[in-house]
Amino acid sequence: MTTFRNFIAGEWVAPSTGEYFDNVNPADARDVVGRFPKSTRADVDRAVESAWRGFAVWSRTPAPARGDVLRRVGDLLAARKEELAALMTREMGKPLQETRGDVQEGIDTAYYAATEGRRLFGHVVPSELRNKWAMTYRRPIGVCGLITPFNFPLAIPTWKAFPALLCGNAVILKPAEDVPHTATVLVEVLLEAGLPPEVIQLVHGMGETVGAALVEHPRVPVVSFTGSTETGSIVGQECGRRHKRLSLEMGGKNAQIVLDDADLDLALEGVLWGAFGTTGQRCTATSRLIVQAGVHDRFVAMLEARAKALRLGDGRQAGTDVGPLIHAASREKVESYVGVGAEQGAELVTGGRRAEGAGLEHGFFFEPTIFTGVTGGSRLDQEEIFGPVLSVIRVADADEAFRVNNGVKYGLSSSLYTRDLNVAFRAMQELDNGITYVNAPTIGAEAHLPFGGVKETGNGHREGGWEVYEFYSETKVCYVDYSGTLQRAQIDNY
Ligand code: NAD
């Protein structure tokens, strides 16, 4: 079995404790991907010291040159796309077509970052005083601690690391303990592309130790976290106490709305992909289907037939539609919601069990599950399950659909299927989410647009697109007075 290492202070090193954890394939838990470091605060301390040395070099490197490194990163990821997709499917479980998409998102993010190196604009602004110049520019901040979840093993680390690096920061990456292999290859690629070694540090290990150490470290001024709202609350409290710059991307309870006038065949493809793609383990997964009464029964019948036909299996095998859940605890959590649905009077239409059959015995598989008769305000309507469970809610009209969509604490993405342009534009204004799709599923974000949610999904920042560059840089304002006299703003000119 391969033993993997941390990347700290420019070297691949063992953890200070000498302890490791096993990373297993969720489609077959007998298949151990490797042993990964169980690091501690001492490892994080070393990484932070080294990252500041890296920052001293990198922050002085011109932004276009930093962009050139990221362009090479994109090229290398493209060259290794198939290999990366295969190893990602092995450690995370989602089918190959999805892990290829995950790598492609990293490639897109790299090329976008490369161009941003020539576009880190500031402003030149007229001064209110004579013979005085006023301007802003974007300045690197320092060392960024990046804490990432398991469901996008490559894309999410790249969403954070590439803009952070382009802006001239050094990065310490703490990937989810379920997907450390992909993160290891990402660091290899960054180094091969010419990133100075101390600019990137990789510290594997548990969230409560390594993640917490990064969050609490006084010399890590920037923290970017993606994960559950529960963990994000802990991270938020700690960072708030220490006045850190913090980006939180957290849970979701996303809905697809289908109105009576919708193209039902199109809406069907959308909900199947949104609810059961990535085994429902996307922050943007469709976990609620809000259907207008006139098409409810017909649409549910269409959906039931197709959901039953989805093929579960190892994501590396051709023909697999749905892979396993990430680990045993996740499957237990999903299973517990079957009892919750029954208690609250929902009707189980299909699924609701661990999946059985040849090839599924040693993985964490769960049948695609659909409940109907779910009511707004019930636990199935409110709580993030993070698995292949879809709750169907019947509504009378678009107004009620919008109210149900908005009646949860989360606010990541929403989707509306209709042919009525007026209703579509109203939805874009009234649905309380960071992202709204019209005639497309709740999943499908593109790397060059801002990504994030409102309410308890986030804390106001965005990943992706142009907005994330503001998070990873400080605005510096410079005034140059060439009048040769003391000019007092707001006094001498009035
Ligand atoms: P998680 O919260 O369990 O873990 C996320 C990361 O936080 C991991 O690296 C983990 O090790 C670390 N961590 C755990 N405890 C910590 C602590 N006390 N201090 C610091 N770090 C700690 O989430 P997960 O199960 O890996 O991912 C699933 C969750 O992520 C879902 O809720 C999903 O909605 C959310 N998610 C959100 C987005 C988004 O952009 N909004 C994207 C993907 C996933």
Short mmCIF file of all heavy atoms in Angstrom, two decimals, residues 252-282:
data_model
loop_
_atom_site.label_atom_id
_atom_site.label_comp_id
_atom_site.label_asym_id
_atom_site.label_seq_id
_atom_site.Cartn_x
_atom_site.Cartn_y
_atom_site.Cartn_z
N GLY A 252 -26.92 23.40 1.53
CA GLY A 252 -28.02 23.83 0.67
C GLY A 252 -29.24 22.93 0.83
O GLY A 252 -29.14 21.83 1.38
N LYS A 253 -30.38 23.42 0.41
CA LYS A 253 -31.61 22.61 0.38
C LYS A 253 -32.36 23.09 -0.85
O LYS A 253 -33.37 23.80 -0.77
CB LYS A 253 -32.41 22.82 1.67
CG LYS A 253 -33.60 21.90 1.81
CD LYS A 253 -33.21 20.46 2.06
CE LYS A 253 -34.41 19.53 2.05
NZ LYS A 253 -34.02 18.10 2.18
N ASN A 254 -31.82 22.72 -1.99
CA ASN A 254 -32.22 23.35 -3.25
C ASN A 254 -33.46 22.71 -3.83
O ASN A 254 -33.67 21.51 -3.69
CB ASN A 254 -31.05 23.25 -4.23
CG ASN A 254 -29.75 23.57 -3.54
OD1 ASN A 254 -29.51 24.71 -3.18
ND2 ASN A 254 -28.93 22.56 -3.28
N ALA A 255 -34.25 23.53 -4.51
CA ALA A 255 -35.51 23.04 -5.07
C ALA A 255 -35.56 23.26 -6.57
O ALA A 255 -35.06 24.27 -7.09
CB ALA A 255 -36.68 23.76 -4.42
N GLN A 256 -36.18 22.30 -7.25
CA GLN A 256 -36.58 22.48 -8.64
C GLN A 256 -38.10 22.67 -8.64
O GLN A 256 -38.83 21.84 -8.09
CB GLN A 256 -36.19 21.27 -9.49
CG GLN A 256 -36.70 21.39 -10.92
CD GLN A 256 -36.21 20.27 -11.83
OE1 GLN A 256 -35.05 19.87 -11.77
NE2 GLN A 256 -37.10 19.76 -12.66
N ILE A 257 -38.55 23.75 -9.27
CA ILE A 257 -39.99 24.02 -9.36
C ILE A 257 -40.46 23.64 -10.77
O ILE A 257 -39.82 24.02 -11.77
CB ILE A 257 -40.26 25.53 -9.12
CG1 ILE A 257 -39.79 25.93 -7.71
CG2 ILE A 257 -41.73 25.85 -9.33
CD1 ILE A 257 -39.77 27.44 -7.48
N VAL A 258 -41.55 22.90 -10.85
CA VAL A 258 -42.12 22.53 -12.15
C VAL A 258 -43.56 23.06 -12.19
O VAL A 258 -44.40 22.60 -11.41
CB VAL A 258 -42.10 21.00 -12.36
CG1 VAL A 258 -42.69 20.64 -13.71
CG2 VAL A 258 -40.67 20.47 -12.24
N LEU A 259 -43.80 24.00 -13.07
CA LEU A 259 -45.16 24.57 -13.18
C LEU A 259 -45.97 23.83 -14.24
O LEU A 259 -45.40 23.09 -15.07
CB LEU A 259 -45.07 26.07 -13.50
CG LEU A 259 -44.37 26.91 -12.40
CD1 LEU A 259 -44.36 28.39 -12.78
CD2 LEU A 259 -45.02 26.71 -11.03
N ASP A 260 -47.27 24.05 -14.21
CA ASP A 260 -48.17 23.30 -15.10
C ASP A 260 -47.81 23.43 -16.58
O ASP A 260 -48.06 22.52 -17.38
CB ASP A 260 -49.62 23.80 -14.91
CG ASP A 260 -50.25 23.22 -13.64
OD1 ASP A 260 -49.64 22.32 -13.04
OD2 ASP A 260 -51.34 23.69 -13.26
N ASP A 261 -47.22 24.58 -16.97
CA ASP A 261 -46.94 24.80 -18.39
C ASP A 261 -45.53 24.34 -18.80
O ASP A 261 -45.10 24.60 -19.92
CB ASP A 261 -47.10 26.29 -18.73
CG ASP A 261 -45.97 27.12 -18.14
OD1 ASP A 261 -45.30 26.64 -17.18
OD2 ASP A 261 -45.72 28.23 -18.63
N ALA A 262 -44.83 23.64 -17.90
CA ALA A 262 -43.43 23.27 -18.19
C ALA A 262 -43.34 22.20 -19.27
O ALA A 262 -44.28 21.42 -19.47
CB ALA A 262 -42.77 22.77 -16.91
N ASP A 263 -42.19 22.14 -19.91
CA ASP A 263 -41.85 21.01 -20.78
C ASP A 263 -41.47 19.87 -19.84
O ASP A 263 -40.36 19.84 -19.28
CB ASP A 263 -40.67 21.42 -21.68
CG ASP A 263 -40.18 20.28 -22.56
OD1 ASP A 263 -40.43 19.11 -22.22
OD2 ASP A 263 -39.52 20.57 -23.58
N LEU A 264 -42.37 18.92 -19.64
CA LEU A 264 -42.16 17.90 -18.60
C LEU A 264 -41.00 16.96 -18.93
O LEU A 264 -40.31 16.48 -18.02
CB LEU A 264 -43.44 17.09 -18.38
CG LEU A 264 -44.62 17.85 -17.77
CD1 LEU A 264 -45.73 16.88 -17.38
CD2 LEU A 264 -44.22 18.67 -16.55
N ASP A 265 -40.79 16.68 -20.21
CA ASP A 265 -39.65 15.80 -20.55
C ASP A 265 -38.33 16.46 -20.18
O ASP A 265 -37.43 15.82 -19.65
CB ASP A 265 -39.68 15.46 -22.05
CG ASP A 265 -40.88 14.60 -22.39
OD1 ASP A 265 -41.21 13.71 -21.59
OD2 ASP A 265 -41.51 14.84 -23.44
N LEU A 266 -38.26 17.76 -20.44
CA LEU A 266 -37.04 18.49 -20.10
C LEU A 266 -36.87 18.56 -18.58
O LEU A 266 -35.77 18.35 -18.04
CB LEU A 266 -37.14 19.91 -20.69
CG LEU A 266 -35.92 20.81 -20.52
CD1 LEU A 266 -34.75 20.28 -21.33
CD2 LEU A 266 -36.25 22.24 -20.95
N ALA A 267 -37.98 18.85 -17.89
CA ALA A 267 -37.93 18.94 -16.43
C ALA A 267 -37.54 17.61 -15.80
O ALA A 267 -36.86 17.56 -14.78
CB ALA A 267 -39.29 19.40 -15.90
N LEU A 268 -37.95 16.52 -16.45
CA LEU A 268 -37.62 15.19 -15.94
C LEU A 268 -36.12 14.93 -16.01
O LEU A 268 -35.50 14.46 -15.05
CB LEU A 268 -38.39 14.13 -16.76
CG LEU A 268 -38.13 12.68 -16.39
CD1 LEU A 268 -38.58 12.40 -14.95
CD2 LEU A 268 -38.86 11.74 -17.35
N GLU A 269 -35.52 15.26 -17.17
CA GLU A 269 -34.06 15.09 -17.28
C GLU A 269 -33.36 15.94 -16.23
O GLU A 269 -32.38 15.52 -15.61
CB GLU A 269 -33.57 15.50 -18.68
CG GLU A 269 -34.12 14.67 -19.83
CD GLU A 269 -33.89 13.17 -19.67
OE1 GLU A 269 -32.85 12.78 -19.12
OE2 GLU A 269 -34.78 12.40 -20.09
N GLY A 270 -33.88 17.14 -16.01
CA GLY A 270 -33.26 18.07 -15.05
C GLY A 270 -33.29 17.52 -13.64
O GLY A 270 -32.28 17.54 -12.93
N VAL A 271 -34.44 17.00 -13.22
CA VAL A 271 -34.53 16.57 -11.82
C VAL A 271 -33.75 15.27 -11.60
O VAL A 271 -33.15 15.06 -10.53
CB VAL A 271 -36.00 16.46 -11.35
CG1 VAL A 271 -36.74 15.32 -12.00
CG2 VAL A 271 -36.05 16.33 -9.83
N LEU A 272 -33.70 14.40 -12.60
CA LEU A 272 -32.92 13.16 -12.43
C LEU A 272 -31.44 13.49 -12.23
O LEU A 272 -30.77 12.93 -11.36
CB LEU A 272 -33.08 12.26 -13.66
CG LEU A 272 -34.43 11.53 -13.75
CD1 LEU A 272 -34.64 11.00 -15.15
CD2 LEU A 272 -34.49 10.39 -12.72
N TRP A 273 -30.95 14.42 -13.02
CA TRP A 273 -29.53 14.82 -12.92
C TRP A 273 -29.30 15.59 -11.63
O TRP A 273 -28.33 15.36 -10.90
CB TRP A 273 -29.18 15.62 -14.17
CG TRP A 273 -27.82 16.23 -14.27
CD1 TRP A 273 -27.56 17.52 -14.62
CD2 TRP A 273 -26.55 15.60 -14.06
NE1 TRP A 273 -26.20 17.73 -14.64
CE2 TRP A 273 -25.56 16.58 -14.29
CE3 TRP A 273 -26.15 14.32 -13.68
CZ2 TRP A 273 -24.19 16.32 -14.15
CZ3 TRP A 273 -24.79 14.05 -13.54
CH2 TRP A 273 -23.84 15.04 -13.78
N GLY A 274 -30.24 16.50 -11.32
CA GLY A 274 -30.04 17.35 -10.14
C GLY A 274 -30.14 16.58 -8.83
O GLY A 274 -29.40 16.85 -7.88
N ALA A 275 -31.04 15.60 -8.78
CA ALA A 275 -31.27 14.90 -7.51
C ALA A 275 -30.33 13.72 -7.31
O ALA A 275 -29.90 13.44 -6.19
CB ALA A 275 -32.72 14.40 -7.45
N PHE A 276 -30.01 13.00 -8.40
CA PHE A 276 -29.27 11.75 -8.22
C PHE A 276 -27.85 11.78 -8.77
O PHE A 276 -27.07 10.88 -8.51
CB PHE A 276 -30.08 10.59 -8.81
CG PHE A 276 -31.46 10.49 -8.21
CD1 PHE A 276 -32.61 10.58 -8.98
CD2 PHE A 276 -31.61 10.37 -6.83
CE1 PHE A 276 -33.88 10.52 -8.41
CE2 PHE A 276 -32.88 10.32 -6.23
CZ PHE A 276 -34.00 10.40 -7.03
N GLY A 277 -27.51 12.82 -9.55
CA GLY A 277 -26.11 13.02 -9.94
C GLY A 277 -25.27 13.20 -8.68
O GLY A 277 -25.76 13.74 -7.68
N THR A 278 -24.03 12.70 -8.71
CA THR A 278 -23.13 12.76 -7.55
C THR A 278 -23.82 12.14 -6.31
O THR A 278 -23.51 12.49 -5.17
CB THR A 278 -22.67 14.20 -7.25
OG1 THR A 278 -22.50 14.90 -8.49
CG2 THR A 278 -21.33 14.24 -6.53
N THR A 279 -24.78 11.22 -6.57
CA THR A 279 -25.50 10.54 -5.49
C THR A 279 -26.13 11.56 -4.53
O THR A 279 -26.23 11.33 -3.32
CB THR A 279 -24.55 9.55 -4.74
OG1 THR A 279 -23.70 8.94 -5.70
CG2 THR A 279 -25.33 8.44 -4.04
N GLY A 280 -26.52 12.71 -5.08
CA GLY A 280 -27.14 13.75 -4.25
C GLY A 280 -26.17 14.47 -3.34
O GLY A 280 -26.57 15.28 -2.50
N GLN A 281 -24.88 14.23 -3.53
CA GLN A 281 -23.88 14.83 -2.63
C GLN A 281 -23.27 16.10 -3.24
O GLN A 281 -22.05 16.24 -3.32
CB GLN A 281 -22.77 13.83 -2.32
CG GLN A 281 -23.26 12.55 -1.68
CD GLN A 281 -22.17 11.50 -1.60
OE1 GLN A 281 -21.66 11.19 -0.56
NE2 GLN A 281 -21.79 10.96 -2.75
N ARG A 282 -24.11 16.97 -3.70
CA ARG A 282 -23.64 18.28 -4.17
C ARG A 282 -24.29 19.33 -3.29
O ARG A 282 -25.46 19.17 -2.92
CB ARG A 282 -24.08 18.55 -5.60
CG ARG A 282 -23.36 17.74 -6.65
CD ARG A 282 -23.68 18.34 -8.01
NE ARG A 282 -23.10 17.55 -9.07
CZ ARG A 282 -22.63 18.09 -10.20
NH1 ARG A 282 -22.68 19.39 -10.40
NH2 ARG A 282 -22.13 17.33 -11.16
#
